[in-house]
Amino acid sequence: LSAWYAGAFAVMVSVFALAAYVFLEQATQQRIDEYLAETASAVAGAMEFERVSGKGFETIVADVLEEFRLQDIAVTVLDRQSDQMYMADLIARRRSTPPRTHAAQQLPDLRTILARTRPNELATFATGATDGGDVRVVAFPYRLGRRDIVIGAARSLESQERTLREARYALGIGIPLMLLVATVGGSLLARKSLEPVAAIAEQAARISATSLHERVAVPNPRDELGRLAGVLNDLLERLDRSFEEQRRLMADASHELRTPVAIISGEAELALSRDGRSPTELRQALERVGAESARLKDIVDDLFLLARAEAGDPIMVPREVYLGEVAADSVRAVRSLAEQKRVALSFTGSEDLPFQGDEALLRRLFVNLLDNAIKYT
């Protein structure tokens, strides 16, 4: 994720840097052009002022070129009639400094640039190359009295190139540095933000079926990780309840199975403990063993019913039964257990007692009550 965002950030920063560089280049170029155009226009105004005073053309050109002796701009005047070009050497502000050649004086195409400008045309701009670098030139056609002249103002683009070079250096160093800081910072931030996820994973890995009561820590319940931890805790709570219900079901099933197994075992022991038992007694014992075996089958079936009940399905099927008959059968079922404990057990009353209920569950109820009574009497 950090690498993805670093890549997207690199693309955006590169596009922004390119746009900023192009804007800087165009802005500096436009500022130089405006400066050159203003200088040429000022030269034309000064020459017009000198012409009104009655001076000759060459005197006007000499005086104006002397006046516009600038450090960064070289002023040139081309006379179309004589095809002569006038340019003053560039000197420093102090007169004691020797003159030095401006880059425009080394431009071989300067005369061509000025000459190809038409008399009634607006100012035109051109860029020429010299050994000292590129030079930007403006050609401003002007009619001074009866003479058609072209006023040229040239400026070296060395300062612009230096500015753009410094901008390239700054972008070349700044963009990788920003990408490095953004990538490292984003990676550290992502790792710090995902530490709670690792902690939740470790805690969840330690929780097993025997420790479902444990819960994962909730760092902040209002954010996404906090909600995730809350969902995991809810899941653990449901699992804990489910396992508890299963344990309770197993305990209930063991309790339910213990009684019929004990009855079957007791009937078998009583039938085999004494010799000379009558066929009627043996038959009754086998009948009780068969009844309890059928009851075991019913209990197993009921376990499946309980499992369905956990899913929300009903397990009780009420119908018309005789409650006394169910009670009498329950007494006969546990009589062997009572004999082992030397407890007298009998049923009195009518077996014809209509009742609305589930016969299997009622029988289980009576047998459990009688079994506990015999066991603890």
Side-chain angles (χ1 to χ4, degrees):
L1 185 63
S2 300
W4 171 259
Y5 280 114
F9 182 70
V11 172
M12 290 187 295
V13 170
S14 299
V15 172
F16 174 78
L18 180 61
Y21 182 81
V22 172
F23 174 79
L24 177 63
E25 184 179 18
Q26 293 179 352
T28 53
Q29 186 71 55
Q30 183 178 2
R31 190 173 297 110
I32 291 174
D33 291 347
E34 292 176 354
Y35 189 23
L36 292 176
E38 291 175 359
T39 303
S41 178
V43 170
M47 294 181 70
E48 189 67 34
F49 179 79
E50 294 291 339
R51 186 186 69 83
V52 172
S53 63
K55 295 181 180 180
F57 175 73
E58 293 186 357
T59 303
I60 293 174
V61 172
D63 292 343
V64 170
L65 291 180
E66 179 67 22
E67 181 181 354
F68 284 88
R69 192 185 291 265
L70 305 174
Q71 288 186 344
D72 55 347
I73 295 181
V75 179
T76 306
V77 177
L78 174 64
D79 184 9
R80 291 182 182 274
Q81 295 179 358
S82 61
D83 196 24
Q84 184 175 357
M85 188 169 63
Y86 303 90
M87 175 183 292
D89 292 335
L90 181 66
I91 64 172
R93 292 184 179 276
R94 289 185 294 179
R95 298 295 182 179
S96 58
T97 304
R100 57 187 177 89
T101 305
H102 191 271
Q105 294 174 307
Q106 303 175 3
L107 185 62
D109 297 334
L110 180 59
R111 180 185 294 272
T112 304
I113 294 173
L114 298 179
R116 67 187 178 189
T117 304
R118 298 179 181 179
N120 297 326
E121 193 177 8
L122 298 177
T124 58
F125 297 90
T127 301
T130 65
D131 295 338
D134 293 339
V135 176
R136 188 67 171 174
V137 180
V138 59
F140 183 71
Y142 187 75
R143 186 171 182 82
L144 184 64
R146 297 181 179 180
R147 289 179 177 269
D148 290 329
I149 62 174
V150 179
I151 301 174
R155 178 177 177 176
S156 175
L157 297 179
E158 181 182 359
S159 60
Q160 182 193 25
E161 289 294 334
R162 184 170 57 253
T163 302
L164 296 178
R165 184 168 56 251
E166 293 174 354
R168 289 193 296 269
Y169 288 158
L171 294 176
I173 297 175
I175 290 178
L177 184 61
M178 285 191 297
L179 290 178
L180 178 62
V181 173
T183 303
V184 174
S187 179
L188 294 177
L189 181 61
R191 186 176 296 108
K192 183 68 176 178
S193 301
L194 294 178
E195 283 181 357
V197 177
I200 291 174
E202 292 178 359
Q203 292 177 353
R206 290 195 299 266
I207 297 175
S208 62
T210 58
S211 58
L212 288 175
H213 60 279
E214 297 182 6
R215 299 294 180 267
V216 299
V218 181
N220 184 3
R222 292 186 298 272
D223 62 5
E224 291 79 2
L225 295 179
R227 290 196 292 271
L228 174 61
V231 171
L232 288 177
N233 287 334
D234 293 340
L235 175 61
L236 292 174
E237 181 69 25
R238 293 193 298 271
L239 289 175
D240 193 13
R241 287 199 303 267
S242 177
F243 272 76
E244 183 62 30
E245 291 172 356
Q246 290 183 2
R247 286 191 291 267
R248 187 166 57 250
L249 177 61
M250 294 299 297
D252 293 342
S254 300
H255 184 270
E256 292 289 336
L257 294 173
R258 187 182 299 113
T259 300
V261 170
I263 292 174
I264 294 173
S265 177
E267 290 291 342
E269 290 178 359
L270 285 176
L272 297 174
S273 62
R274 292 179 296 178
D275 296 334
R277 301 198 66 172
S278 64
T280 302
E281 292 177 342
L282 293 176
R283 184 178 182 84
Q284 290 177 352
L286 290 176
E287 288 177 352
R288 285 191 289 270
V289 169
E292 291 304 318
S293 299
R295 184 164 172 258
L296 281 176
K297 178 180 179 298
D298 293 338
I299 292 175
V300 173
D301 293 337
D302 288 342
L303 290 178
F304 289 103
L305 292 176
L306 289 175
R308 288 199 299 268
E310 294 295 333
D313 298 334
I315 62 171
M316 188 175 66
V317 183
R319 61 181 179 178
E320 190 74 20
V321 297
Y322 291 101
L323 190 61
E325 182 181 353
V326 175
D329 291 339
S330 301
V331 170
R332 286 191 291 269
V334 298
R335 184 163 291 167
S336 61
L337 297 178
E339 291 178 359
Q340 292 178 3
K341 289 283 188 175
R342 300 180 183 276
V343 174
L345 182 63
S346 62
F347 172 78
T348 58
S350 174
E351 295 184 4
D352 298 333
L353 180 61
F355 190 78
Q356 189 75 20
D358 191 306
E359 182 178 357
L361 295 180
L362 288 171
R363 188 184 303 274
R364 183 178 304 163
L365 170 64
F366 290 148
V367 170
N368 285 339
L369 290 174
L370 292 172
D371 178 59
N372 290 330
I374 293 170
K375 186 183 300 182
Y376 297 106
T377 298

